[in-house]
Amino acid sequence: MEKEKNLEKIVSLCKRRGFVFPGSEIYGGLAGIYDYGPLGVELSMNVKNAWRREMFRLHENIFELDSSILMQKRVWQASGHTSAGFTDPLRECKKCHHRFRADHLTEQGIDKCPDCGGDLTEPKRFNLLVETHLGPVQDDSSLVYLRGETAQGIYVNYNNVKISQSASLPFGIGQIGKAFRNEITPGHFIYRMREFEQMEQQYFIKPSEADKYFEQWKEERLHWYLDLGIKKENLRLRPHVTGELAHYAKAAVDIEYNFPFGWHEIEGIHNRGDWDLSRHSEYSGQDLSEIDTGTGKRFYPYVIETSAGVDRLTLAFIVDAYEEVIGGRTTTTQSIKEIEVVLKLDHRLSPVKIAVLPLSKKEPLVNMAKDIASKLRKNWNVQYDDTASIGKRYRRQDEIGTPFCISVDFESIDDKKVTVRDRDTMKQERMEIGKLEIYIAEKLK
Ligand code: GAP
Protein backbone atom coordinates (compact mmCIF):
# COMPACT_ATOMS: atom_id res chain seq x y z
CA MET A 1 0.00 0.00 0.00
CA GLU A 2 1.19 3.43 -0.83
CA LYS A 3 -0.11 6.88 -0.37
CA GLU A 4 0.41 9.90 -2.50
CA LYS A 5 -1.19 13.30 -2.60
CA ASN A 6 -1.17 16.18 -4.92
CA LEU A 7 -3.56 19.01 -5.42
CA GLU A 8 -4.36 18.26 -9.08
CA LYS A 9 -5.71 14.81 -8.15
CA ILE A 10 -7.86 16.31 -5.42
CA VAL A 11 -9.19 19.04 -7.72
CA SER A 12 -10.04 16.39 -10.29
CA LEU A 13 -11.79 14.17 -7.73
CA CYS A 14 -13.78 17.18 -6.49
CA LYS A 15 -14.98 18.01 -9.99
CA ARG A 16 -15.63 14.41 -11.08
CA ARG A 17 -17.60 13.42 -8.02
CA GLY A 18 -19.46 16.70 -7.53
CA PHE A 19 -17.75 18.31 -4.53
CA VAL A 20 -16.51 21.58 -6.06
CA PHE A 21 -16.81 23.14 -9.52
CA PRO A 22 -15.11 26.24 -10.93
CA GLY A 23 -17.50 29.21 -10.73
CA SER A 24 -19.19 30.33 -14.01
CA GLU A 25 -17.38 27.43 -15.65
CA ILE A 26 -19.29 27.40 -18.95
CA TYR A 27 -18.19 31.03 -19.48
CA GLY A 28 -14.55 30.22 -18.83
CA GLY A 29 -14.62 30.63 -15.04
CA LEU A 30 -14.06 33.56 -12.68
CA ALA A 31 -10.77 33.73 -10.77
CA GLY A 32 -11.06 32.91 -7.09
CA ILE A 33 -14.72 31.85 -7.30
CA TYR A 34 -15.99 28.28 -6.88
CA ASP A 35 -19.35 26.53 -6.64
CA TYR A 36 -20.11 23.60 -4.36
CA GLY A 37 -21.77 20.56 -5.92
CA PRO A 38 -24.12 18.13 -4.17
CA LEU A 39 -21.41 16.30 -2.21
CA GLY A 40 -19.49 19.49 -1.44
CA VAL A 41 -22.59 21.12 0.01
CA GLU A 42 -23.12 18.09 2.21
CA LEU A 43 -19.48 17.92 3.35
CA SER A 44 -19.08 21.64 4.05
CA MET A 45 -22.47 21.65 5.82
CA ASN A 46 -21.21 18.81 8.04
CA VAL A 47 -18.08 20.88 8.81
CA LYS A 48 -20.28 23.86 9.70
CA ASN A 49 -22.60 21.74 11.82
CA ALA A 50 -19.65 20.28 13.72
CA TRP A 51 -18.46 23.83 14.44
CA ARG A 52 -21.96 25.02 15.41
CA ARG A 53 -22.39 22.09 17.76
CA GLU A 54 -19.02 22.77 19.39
CA MET A 55 -19.60 26.52 19.78
CA PHE A 56 -23.26 26.91 20.57
CA ARG A 57 -24.36 23.56 22.04
CA LEU A 58 -21.34 22.76 24.12
CA HIS A 59 -20.81 26.30 25.43
CA GLU A 60 -23.79 27.70 27.27
CA ASN A 61 -22.45 31.26 27.04
CA ILE A 62 -21.80 31.52 23.28
CA PHE A 63 -24.63 32.90 21.16
CA GLU A 64 -25.26 32.53 17.46
CA LEU A 65 -25.87 35.41 15.09
CA ASP A 66 -26.56 35.80 11.39
CA SER A 67 -25.76 39.37 10.45
CA SER A 68 -26.03 40.91 7.00
CA ILE A 69 -23.29 40.97 4.38
CA LEU A 70 -23.89 44.64 3.64
CA MET A 71 -23.30 47.13 6.40
CA GLN A 72 -22.91 50.87 6.63
CA LYS A 73 -19.67 52.23 5.20
CA ARG A 74 -18.84 53.67 8.62
CA VAL A 75 -18.50 50.15 10.04
CA TRP A 76 -15.46 49.57 7.84
CA GLN A 77 -13.99 52.95 8.61
CA ALA A 78 -14.30 52.24 12.34
CA SER A 79 -12.84 48.75 11.98
CA GLY A 80 -9.80 50.07 10.11
CA HIS A 81 -10.49 48.05 6.96
CA THR A 82 -10.80 51.06 4.65
CA SER A 83 -7.37 52.35 5.65
CA ALA A 84 -3.91 50.82 5.49
CA GLY A 85 -4.81 47.96 7.82
CA PHE A 86 -6.58 45.82 5.24
CA THR A 87 -4.21 46.12 2.32
CA ASP A 88 -1.79 43.81 0.61
CA PRO A 89 1.47 44.95 -0.97
CA LEU A 90 1.15 44.56 -4.72
CA ARG A 91 3.62 44.63 -7.64
CA GLU A 92 2.46 45.02 -11.22
CA CYS A 93 4.23 43.77 -14.33
CA LYS A 94 5.09 46.72 -16.58
CA LYS A 95 4.68 44.54 -19.67
CA CYS A 96 1.63 42.25 -19.19
CA HIS A 97 0.11 44.27 -16.29
CA HIS A 98 -0.55 41.16 -14.21
CA ARG A 99 -0.46 41.83 -10.48
CA PHE A 100 1.23 39.77 -7.76
CA ARG A 101 1.46 39.85 -3.97
CA ALA A 102 4.85 41.40 -3.20
CA ASP A 103 5.25 39.27 -0.05
CA HIS A 104 4.60 36.06 -2.02
CA LEU A 105 7.20 37.04 -4.65
CA THR A 106 9.75 37.80 -1.92
CA GLU A 107 9.03 34.46 -0.21
CA GLN A 108 9.76 32.65 -3.48
CA GLY A 109 12.80 34.85 -4.32
CA ILE A 110 11.17 36.07 -7.57
CA ASP A 111 12.07 39.52 -8.90
CA LYS A 112 10.58 39.40 -12.43
CA CYS A 113 7.03 38.80 -13.64
CA PRO A 114 6.27 35.07 -13.11
CA ASP A 115 4.01 35.12 -16.22
CA CYS A 116 6.12 36.91 -18.86
CA GLY A 117 9.45 37.75 -17.24
CA GLY A 118 8.78 41.51 -17.49
CA ASP A 119 9.97 44.13 -14.99
CA LEU A 120 7.83 44.70 -11.90
CA THR A 121 6.80 47.99 -10.28
CA GLU A 122 7.75 48.76 -6.67
CA PRO A 123 5.17 47.43 -4.17
CA LYS A 124 1.99 49.52 -3.79
CA ARG A 125 -0.72 49.05 -1.16
CA PHE A 126 -3.96 47.57 -2.48
CA ASN A 127 -7.21 47.51 -0.49
CA LEU A 128 -8.97 44.16 -0.31
CA LEU A 129 -12.54 45.30 0.33
CA VAL A 130 -14.96 44.51 -2.50
CA GLU A 131 -17.13 47.50 -3.38
CA THR A 132 -20.65 47.75 -4.70
CA HIS A 133 -23.42 50.36 -4.78
CA LEU A 134 -26.74 50.22 -3.00
CA GLY A 135 -29.69 52.12 -4.43
CA PRO A 136 -30.42 53.56 -7.87
CA VAL A 137 -27.64 56.17 -8.01
CA GLN A 138 -24.00 55.17 -8.26
CA ASP A 139 -22.00 57.80 -6.43
CA ASP A 140 -19.89 58.08 -3.30
CA SER A 141 -22.95 58.16 -1.06
CA SER A 142 -24.25 54.83 -2.38
CA LEU A 143 -20.91 53.03 -2.05
CA VAL A 144 -21.00 50.01 0.27
CA TYR A 145 -18.62 47.13 0.88
CA LEU A 146 -19.24 43.42 0.82
CA ARG A 147 -18.00 42.41 4.27
CA GLY A 148 -14.31 41.51 4.42
CA GLU A 149 -14.85 39.47 7.61
CA THR A 150 -17.96 38.37 9.46
CA ALA A 151 -16.56 39.65 12.78
CA GLN A 152 -17.75 43.25 12.29
CA GLY A 153 -21.39 42.13 12.17
CA ILE A 154 -20.84 40.70 15.64
CA TYR A 155 -19.32 43.87 17.14
CA VAL A 156 -22.10 46.11 15.85
CA ASN A 157 -24.62 43.74 17.47
CA TYR A 158 -22.73 43.48 20.78
CA ASN A 159 -25.32 45.35 22.81
CA ASN A 160 -28.27 43.72 21.02
CA VAL A 161 -27.10 40.21 21.88
CA LYS A 162 -25.89 41.08 25.36
CA ILE A 163 -29.16 42.74 26.39
CA SER A 164 -31.57 40.36 24.66
CA GLN A 165 -29.79 37.29 26.04
CA SER A 166 -29.01 38.79 29.49
CA ALA A 167 -25.38 37.91 28.91
CA SER A 168 -22.50 39.03 31.08
CA LEU A 169 -18.74 38.70 30.65
CA PRO A 170 -17.24 36.38 29.70
CA PHE A 171 -19.50 35.46 26.78
CA GLY A 172 -19.13 34.80 23.09
CA ILE A 173 -20.96 35.58 19.85
CA GLY A 174 -20.32 33.52 16.75
CA GLN A 175 -21.55 33.28 13.21
CA ILE A 176 -21.07 31.52 9.93
CA GLY A 177 -21.28 33.53 6.74
CA LYS A 178 -19.81 34.70 3.49
CA ALA A 179 -16.93 37.15 3.30
CA PHE A 180 -15.39 38.79 0.26
CA ARG A 181 -11.86 39.95 -0.47
CA ASN A 182 -10.32 41.27 -3.62
CA GLU A 183 -7.39 38.86 -3.27
CA ILE A 184 -4.65 39.78 -5.73
CA THR A 185 -3.54 36.24 -6.26
CA PRO A 186 -6.33 33.79 -5.50
CA GLY A 187 -5.14 30.25 -5.83
CA HIS A 188 -4.53 26.72 -4.58
CA PHE A 189 -8.08 25.76 -5.52
CA ILE A 190 -10.48 26.69 -2.68
CA TYR A 191 -7.63 27.75 -0.40
CA ARG A 192 -7.48 31.43 -1.35
CA MET A 193 -10.75 32.67 -2.84
CA ARG A 194 -12.40 36.02 -3.43
CA GLU A 195 -15.77 34.86 -2.13
CA PHE A 196 -15.47 32.49 0.82
CA GLU A 197 -17.16 31.51 4.04
CA GLN A 198 -15.98 32.13 7.58
CA MET A 199 -16.89 30.61 10.95
CA GLU A 200 -15.97 33.26 13.47
CA GLN A 201 -16.45 33.48 17.19
CA GLN A 202 -15.68 36.55 19.32
CA TYR A 203 -15.20 35.88 23.04
CA PHE A 204 -15.70 39.04 25.12
CA ILE A 205 -13.72 39.16 28.34
CA LYS A 206 -12.18 41.37 31.00
CA PRO A 207 -8.79 42.68 29.81
CA SER A 208 -6.96 41.00 32.70
CA GLU A 209 -8.12 37.58 31.46
CA ALA A 210 -6.87 37.92 27.89
CA ASP A 211 -3.81 35.67 28.20
CA LYS A 212 -5.78 32.93 29.96
CA TYR A 213 -8.53 32.81 27.32
CA PHE A 214 -6.10 33.14 24.43
CA GLU A 215 -4.37 29.95 25.64
CA GLN A 216 -7.70 28.23 26.30
CA TRP A 217 -9.06 28.91 22.83
CA LYS A 218 -5.81 27.78 21.20
CA GLU A 219 -6.14 24.43 22.92
CA GLU A 220 -9.87 24.07 22.29
CA ARG A 221 -9.60 24.82 18.59
CA LEU A 222 -6.64 22.53 18.05
CA HIS A 223 -8.48 19.75 19.83
CA TRP A 224 -11.54 20.24 17.59
CA TYR A 225 -9.53 19.37 14.48
CA LEU A 226 -7.92 16.34 16.09
CA ASP A 227 -11.28 15.08 17.30
CA LEU A 228 -12.62 15.31 13.74
CA GLY A 229 -9.81 13.09 12.56
CA ILE A 230 -7.15 15.45 11.19
CA LYS A 231 -3.77 13.77 11.69
CA LYS A 232 -1.70 15.33 14.42
CA GLU A 233 1.42 15.49 12.27
CA ASN A 234 -0.43 17.62 9.71
CA LEU A 235 -1.39 20.37 12.17
CA ARG A 236 0.73 22.98 13.87
CA LEU A 237 0.42 26.29 15.68
CA ARG A 238 2.39 29.23 14.37
CA PRO A 239 2.51 32.41 16.46
CA HIS A 240 2.63 35.67 14.50
CA VAL A 241 5.76 37.76 14.79
CA THR A 242 5.36 41.45 15.64
CA GLY A 243 5.53 42.91 12.11
CA GLU A 244 3.02 40.36 10.83
CA LEU A 245 0.17 41.16 13.23
CA ALA A 246 -3.11 42.44 11.72
CA HIS A 247 -3.99 46.06 12.53
CA TYR A 248 -6.43 44.99 15.26
CA ALA A 249 -4.35 42.26 16.93
CA LYS A 250 -2.30 42.32 20.11
CA ALA A 251 -1.32 38.67 19.70
CA ALA A 252 -2.16 36.05 17.11
CA VAL A 253 -1.52 32.42 16.35
CA ASP A 254 -2.37 30.53 13.17
CA ILE A 255 -3.49 26.93 13.10
CA GLU A 256 -1.70 25.65 10.01
CA TYR A 257 -2.35 22.54 7.94
CA ASN A 258 0.23 20.69 5.91
CA PHE A 259 -1.36 21.02 2.43
CA PRO A 260 0.21 19.46 -0.68
CA PHE A 261 1.43 23.03 -1.40
CA GLY A 262 3.00 23.50 2.06
CA TRP A 263 2.04 24.60 5.56
CA HIS A 264 -0.71 27.22 5.42
CA GLU A 265 -3.19 28.87 7.76
CA ILE A 266 -6.65 27.38 8.18
CA GLU A 267 -7.69 29.27 11.30
CA GLY A 268 -6.50 32.34 13.17
CA ILE A 269 -6.80 32.91 16.91
CA HIS A 270 -6.41 36.56 17.79
CA ASN A 271 -6.30 38.69 20.89
CA ARG A 272 -7.95 41.79 19.38
CA GLY A 273 -7.68 43.77 22.63
CA ASP A 274 -10.31 46.49 22.92
CA TRP A 275 -9.76 47.71 19.35
CA ASP A 276 -13.18 46.80 18.00
CA LEU A 277 -15.58 47.84 20.75
CA SER A 278 -13.70 51.07 21.48
CA ARG A 279 -13.58 52.06 17.82
CA HIS A 280 -17.26 51.27 17.23
CA SER A 281 -18.16 53.26 20.35
CA GLU A 282 -16.16 56.20 19.04
CA TYR A 283 -17.54 56.06 15.48
CA SER A 284 -21.18 55.24 16.31
CA GLY A 285 -21.53 57.33 19.45
CA GLN A 286 -23.08 54.27 21.20
CA ASP A 287 -21.43 53.21 24.42
CA LEU A 288 -20.23 49.62 24.15
CA SER A 289 -18.19 49.69 27.36
CA GLU A 290 -18.78 47.73 30.57
CA ILE A 291 -18.49 48.71 34.19
CA ASP A 292 -16.00 47.10 36.53
CA THR A 293 -18.10 46.33 39.60
CA GLY A 294 -14.99 46.35 41.82
CA THR A 295 -13.55 49.75 40.88
CA GLY A 296 -16.64 51.36 39.36
CA LYS A 297 -14.57 52.30 36.31
CA ARG A 298 -15.70 51.74 32.74
CA PHE A 299 -13.66 49.59 30.36
CA TYR A 300 -13.99 48.11 26.88
CA PRO A 301 -14.07 44.30 26.86
CA TYR A 302 -11.18 42.56 25.16
CA VAL A 303 -11.91 40.08 22.40
CA ILE A 304 -10.36 36.68 21.81
CA GLU A 305 -11.35 35.71 18.29
CA THR A 306 -11.34 32.30 16.66
CA SER A 307 -11.67 32.65 12.90
CA ALA A 308 -11.79 29.66 10.56
CA GLY A 309 -12.54 29.41 6.84
CA VAL A 310 -15.15 26.83 5.81
CA ASP A 311 -13.55 26.37 2.39
CA ARG A 312 -10.01 25.94 3.71
CA LEU A 313 -11.22 23.48 6.30
CA THR A 314 -13.22 21.53 3.74
CA LEU A 315 -10.08 21.29 1.60
CA ALA A 316 -7.95 20.27 4.59
CA PHE A 317 -10.43 17.55 5.58
CA ILE A 318 -10.48 16.17 2.03
CA VAL A 319 -6.68 16.24 1.70
CA ASP A 320 -6.20 14.61 5.08
CA ALA A 321 -8.70 11.86 4.35
CA TYR A 322 -7.44 11.16 0.81
CA GLU A 323 -5.58 7.89 0.42
CA GLU A 324 -4.41 6.16 -2.72
CA VAL A 325 -3.97 2.43 -2.64
CA ILE A 326 -1.72 1.27 -5.42
CA GLY A 327 -2.63 -2.23 -6.52
CA GLY A 328 -6.18 -1.83 -5.27
CA ARG A 329 -7.87 -2.42 -1.93
CA THR A 330 -9.61 -5.59 -3.04
CA THR A 331 -8.22 -8.59 -4.86
CA THR A 332 -11.56 -9.85 -6.09
CA THR A 333 -12.23 -7.49 -8.98
CA GLN A 334 -10.57 -6.18 -12.11
CA SER A 335 -9.24 -3.38 -9.92
CA ILE A 336 -6.08 -5.39 -9.24
CA LYS A 337 -2.99 -3.33 -10.06
CA GLU A 338 -5.06 -0.18 -10.48
CA ILE A 339 -4.92 2.75 -8.09
CA GLU A 340 -7.91 2.95 -5.78
CA VAL A 341 -8.85 6.05 -3.85
CA VAL A 342 -10.45 6.05 -0.45
CA LEU A 343 -11.56 9.14 1.43
CA LYS A 344 -11.23 8.22 5.09
CA LEU A 345 -13.37 11.06 6.39
CA ASP A 346 -14.65 11.01 9.93
CA HIS A 347 -18.17 9.56 9.79
CA ARG A 348 -19.62 12.86 10.98
CA LEU A 349 -18.21 14.61 7.92
CA SER A 350 -18.89 12.01 5.23
CA PRO A 351 -21.38 13.44 2.73
CA VAL A 352 -23.08 10.10 2.17
CA LYS A 353 -23.35 7.78 5.17
CA ILE A 354 -24.74 4.65 3.55
CA ALA A 355 -24.90 3.23 0.02
CA VAL A 356 -27.45 0.55 -0.82
CA LEU A 357 -26.32 -1.67 -3.70
CA PRO A 358 -28.43 -4.50 -5.14
CA LEU A 359 -26.27 -7.18 -6.76
CA SER A 360 -28.51 -7.27 -9.79
CA LYS A 361 -30.79 -4.83 -11.53
CA LYS A 362 -33.52 -7.45 -11.52
CA GLU A 363 -36.60 -7.79 -9.37
CA PRO A 364 -37.21 -8.56 -6.58
CA LEU A 365 -33.71 -7.36 -5.57
CA VAL A 366 -34.21 -3.80 -6.75
CA ASN A 367 -37.45 -3.38 -4.84
CA MET A 368 -35.96 -4.83 -1.70
CA ALA A 369 -32.88 -2.58 -1.92
CA LYS A 370 -34.99 0.52 -2.62
CA ASP A 371 -37.14 -0.30 0.34
CA ILE A 372 -34.11 -0.58 2.63
CA ALA A 373 -32.72 2.71 1.25
CA SER A 374 -35.95 4.62 1.80
CA LYS A 375 -36.19 3.38 5.42
CA LEU A 376 -32.60 4.42 6.21
CA ARG A 377 -33.05 7.75 4.42
CA LYS A 378 -35.23 8.99 7.26
CA ASN A 379 -32.14 9.25 9.44
CA TRP A 380 -29.16 9.48 7.13
CA ASN A 381 -28.04 10.62 3.72
CA VAL A 382 -28.32 7.43 1.66
CA GLN A 383 -27.35 6.72 -1.95
CA TYR A 384 -29.01 3.98 -3.94
CA ASP A 385 -26.91 2.69 -6.84
CA ASP A 386 -27.65 -0.21 -9.18
CA THR A 387 -25.35 0.72 -12.05
CA ALA A 388 -22.04 -1.01 -12.96
CA SER A 389 -20.33 -3.97 -11.27
CA ILE A 390 -20.39 -4.27 -7.49
CA GLY A 391 -16.60 -3.71 -7.37
CA LYS A 392 -16.93 -0.44 -9.27
CA ARG A 393 -19.76 0.68 -7.06
CA TYR A 394 -17.73 -0.02 -3.89
CA ARG A 395 -14.89 2.01 -5.36
CA ARG A 396 -17.18 4.94 -6.13
CA GLN A 397 -18.38 4.96 -2.56
CA ASP A 398 -14.83 4.66 -1.17
CA GLU A 399 -13.85 7.66 -3.30
CA ILE A 400 -16.48 9.88 -1.68
CA GLY A 401 -15.88 8.53 1.80
CA THR A 402 -19.12 6.58 2.41
CA PRO A 403 -18.61 4.67 5.68
CA PHE A 404 -21.06 1.82 4.94
CA CYS A 405 -22.16 -0.07 1.85
CA ILE A 406 -25.08 -2.45 2.09
CA SER A 407 -25.29 -5.05 -0.64
CA VAL A 408 -28.50 -6.93 -1.35
CA ASP A 409 -28.04 -10.32 -3.04
CA PHE A 410 -30.22 -13.22 -4.16
CA GLU A 411 -29.97 -14.93 -0.78
CA SER A 412 -31.37 -11.78 0.82
CA ILE A 413 -34.78 -12.69 -0.61
CA ASP A 414 -34.92 -15.89 1.42
CA ASP A 415 -32.93 -15.13 4.55
CA LYS A 416 -33.84 -11.40 4.87
CA LYS A 417 -30.19 -10.64 5.47
CA VAL A 418 -27.82 -8.24 3.73
CA THR A 419 -24.06 -7.66 3.74
CA VAL A 420 -22.67 -4.53 5.39
CA ARG A 421 -19.20 -3.48 4.26
CA ASP A 422 -17.12 -1.16 6.41
CA ARG A 423 -15.12 1.40 4.38
CA ASP A 424 -12.09 1.37 6.64
CA THR A 425 -11.73 -2.24 7.72
CA MET A 426 -13.25 -3.64 4.48
CA LYS A 427 -14.88 -6.23 6.72
CA GLN A 428 -18.17 -7.59 5.44
CA GLU A 429 -20.81 -8.59 7.92
CA ARG A 430 -24.01 -10.49 7.18
CA MET A 431 -26.91 -9.00 9.05
CA GLU A 432 -30.69 -9.18 9.41
CA ILE A 433 -32.42 -6.30 7.63
CA GLY A 434 -34.44 -5.56 10.75
CA LYS A 435 -31.25 -4.91 12.72
CA LEU A 436 -29.65 -2.51 10.23
CA GLU A 437 -30.89 0.73 11.75
CA ILE A 438 -29.68 -0.07 15.26
CA TYR A 439 -26.35 -1.35 13.96
CA ILE A 440 -25.68 1.76 11.85
CA ALA A 441 -26.90 4.17 14.51
CA GLU A 442 -24.45 2.60 16.92
CA LYS A 443 -21.56 2.81 14.43
CA LEU A 444 -22.29 6.39 13.36
CA LYS A 445 -22.72 7.65 16.90
N1 GAP B 1 -11.74 38.18 11.53
C1 GAP B 1 -10.37 37.85 11.39
C2 GAP B 1 -10.02 37.42 10.06
O1 GAP B 1 -10.79 37.53 9.13
P1 GAP B 1 -8.09 36.28 8.69
O2 GAP B 1 -6.86 35.58 9.20
O3 GAP B 1 -7.93 37.34 7.68
O4 GAP B 1 -8.78 36.86 10.00
C3 GAP B 1 -9.56 34.18 9.01
O5 GAP B 1 -9.11 35.19 8.17
C4 GAP B 1 -9.77 32.89 8.27
O6 GAP B 1 -10.62 33.10 7.14
C5 GAP B 1 -8.49 32.30 7.69
O7 GAP B 1 -7.80 31.50 8.62
C6 GAP B 1 -9.03 31.46 6.54
O8 GAP B 1 -9.44 30.21 7.01
C7 GAP B 1 -10.23 32.26 6.08
N2 GAP B 1 -9.84 33.08 4.91
C8 GAP B 1 -9.28 34.29 4.91
N3 GAP B 1 -9.08 34.72 3.66
C9 GAP B 1 -9.52 33.74 2.84
C10 GAP B 1 -9.59 33.57 1.42
N4 GAP B 1 -9.18 34.53 0.59
N5 GAP B 1 -10.10 32.42 0.92
C11 GAP B 1 -10.55 31.46 1.74
N6 GAP B 1 -10.52 31.56 3.08
C12 GAP B 1 -10.02 32.68 3.64
Side-chain angles (χ1 to χ4, degrees):
M1 266 206 232
E2 261 181 70
K3 207 172 83 173
E4 192 187 304
K5 278 175 205 188
N6 70 49
L7 192 61
E8 288 69 41
K9 286 181 182 170
I10 300 230
V11 174
S12 147
L13 171 76
C14 283
K15 165 98 200 277
R16 196 160 32 84
R17 301 310 314 270
F19 284 92
V20 180
F21 309 124
S24 310
E25 192 182 13
I26 61 168
Y27 287 97
L30 185 61
I33 308 288
Y34 287 88
D35 297 337
Y36 282 81
L39 295 190
V41 174
E42 200 70 42
L43 170 57
S44 63
M45 199 66 86
N46 292 340
V47 171
K48 288 185 267 189
N49 282 338
W51 186 87
R52 288 186 72 222
R53 178 179 181 276
E54 173 79 16
M55 286 296 167
F56 309 118
R57 286 257 187 88
L58 302 184
H59 292 90
E60 60 172 354
N61 64 342
I62 303 185
F63 304 96
E64 189 167 19
L65 185 74
D66 185 5
S67 73
S68 52
I69 286 171
L70 298 173
M71 283 183 274
Q72 275 219 18
K73 216 167 20 187
R74 297 267 293 159
V75 171
W76 302 104
Q77 290 161 356
S79 71
H81 284 80
T82 51
S83 48
F86 200 55
T87 56
D88 274 340
L90 173 82
R91 298 183 75 180
E92 186 172 320
C93 173
K94 292 178 184 168
K95 208 160 116 199
C96 71
H97 299 290
H98 288 174
R99 292 167 165 190
F100 307 94
R101 285 263 299 258
D103 51 338
H104 290 175
L105 292 175
T106 311
E107 261 169 40
Q108 294 161 36
I110 299 172
D111 203 38
K112 293 279 184 194
C113 172
D115 288 349
C116 76
D119 288 336
L120 296 166
T121 62
E122 286 304 306
K124 287 181 223 151
R125 305 301 304 187
F126 175 79
N127 195 281
L128 299 182
L129 284 176
V130 177
E131 297 178 354
T132 188
H133 289 268
L134 210 54
V137 186
Q138 291 209 0
D139 60 16
D140 274 0
S141 66
S142 66
L143 173 75
V144 286
Y145 302 104
L146 303 190
R147 65 182 174 201
E149 59 173 15
T150 62
Q152 296 307 321
I154 292 177
Y155 304 131
V156 301
N157 279 292
Y158 176 77
N159 269 350
N160 283 338
V161 175
K162 187 186 79 173
I163 295 164
S164 65
Q165 303 307 304
S166 310
S168 56
L169 300 181
F171 72 94
I173 306 176
Q175 71 170 328
I176 299 176
K178 289 272 188 171
F180 302 81
R181 293 184 192 174
N182 226 335
E183 296 283 359
I184 298 155
T185 41
H188 296 316
F189 191 35
I190 53 171
Y191 179 80
R192 181 168 288 103
M193 304 158 87
R194 288 180 170 148
E195 174 182 337
F196 56 97
E197 204 167 15
Q198 290 187 313
M199 305 189 286
E200 297 199 299
Q201 186 268 147
Q202 317 294 319
Y203 205 64
F204 299 97
I205 54 171
K206 290 182 183 155
S208 59
E209 294 179 324
D211 291 344
K212 178 179 98 181
Y213 284 116
F214 185 68
E215 288 307 310
Q216 186 175 311
W217 278 110
K218 234 164 60 177
E219 292 308 314
E220 277 198 35
R221 293 305 303 142
L222 200 59
H223 179 259
W224 185 79
Y225 290 97
L226 296 171
D227 180 58
L228 279 173
I230 295 257
K231 296 176 193 79
K232 206 172 173 189
E233 65 270 23
N234 289 333
L235 275 182
R236 73 177 187 196
L237 288 170
R238 191 185 67 81
H240 281 208
V241 291
T242 317
E244 192 188 353
L245 286 174
H247 62 278
Y248 50 74
K250 278 188 159 8
V253 63
D254 287 343
I255 299 181
E256 292 190 333
Y257 180 75
N258 188 13
F259 286 103
F261 44 90
W263 286 94
H264 285 279
E265 171 189 353
I266 52 173
E267 172 160 352
I269 294 145
H270 311 121
N271 170 0
R272 295 178 71 125
D274 64 2
W275 166 266
D276 301 282
L277 292 187
S278 66
R279 291 274 291 196
H280 284 302
S281 292
E282 184 192 332
Y283 277 65
S284 69
Q286 301 283 316
D287 186 6
L288 304 177
S289 69
E290 296 286 338
I291 195 150
D292 183 321
T293 46
T295 63
K297 286 194 181 140
R298 298 207 77 88
F299 68 97
Y300 290 107
Y302 270 33
V303 171
I304 305 298
E305 168 183 68
T306 66
S307 175
V310 175
D311 314 275
R312 285 190 189 178
L313 264 55
T314 301
L315 181 59
F317 281 117
I318 294 176
V319 168
D320 213 68
Y322 182 92
E323 282 186 18
E324 273 187 359
V325 183
I326 295 170
R329 302 183 82 203
T330 51
T331 48
T332 53
T333 69
Q334 71 273 36
S335 69
I336 299 170
K337 293 199 175 65
E338 283 177 22
I339 292 172
E340 287 185 11
V341 171
V342 54
L343 217 50
K344 288 195 169 166
L345 288 166
D346 183 280
H347 293 174
R348 288 165 289 182
L349 300 181
S350 290
V352 176
K353 310 292 186 211
I354 306 154
V356 181
L357 317 170
L359 229 59
S360 144
K361 263 187 169 171
K362 294 202 181 98
E363 293 298 0
L365 251 65
V366 164
N367 245 347
M368 191 175 200
K370 283 191 173 164
D371 196 43
I372 292 171
S374 75
K375 283 209 179 92
L376 297 175
R377 216 166 253 140
K378 289 182 186 134
N379 289 315
W380 300 286
N381 191 15
V382 176
Q383 248 184 29
Y384 169 86
D385 184 6
D386 61 14
T387 60
S389 71
I390 187 75
K392 256 196 183 137
R393 282 182 277 162
Y394 278 147
R395 286 166 63 190
R396 275 188 206 152
Q397 296 301 332
D398 281 351
E399 229 184 12
I400 62 169
T402 306
F404 299 104
C405 288
I406 297 173
S407 61
V408 182
D409 55 36
F410 290 102
E411 272 173 48
S412 305
I413 314 290
D414 301 322
D415 68 3
K416 305 281 179 282
K417 286 183 177 174
V418 288
T419 306
V420 183
R421 171 188 182 267
D422 183 304
R423 176 196 71 195
D424 298 333
T425 61
M426 307 264 293
K427 256 178 66 184
Q428 308 213 9
E429 222 174 307
R430 193 89 185 148
M431 178 169 317
E432 281 166 45
I433 294 169
K435 290 188 176 156
L436 273 175
E437 272 186 78
I438 293 173
Y439 174 83
I440 288 171
E442 184 59 33
K443 289 275 186 180
L444 290 176
K445 212 160 60 181

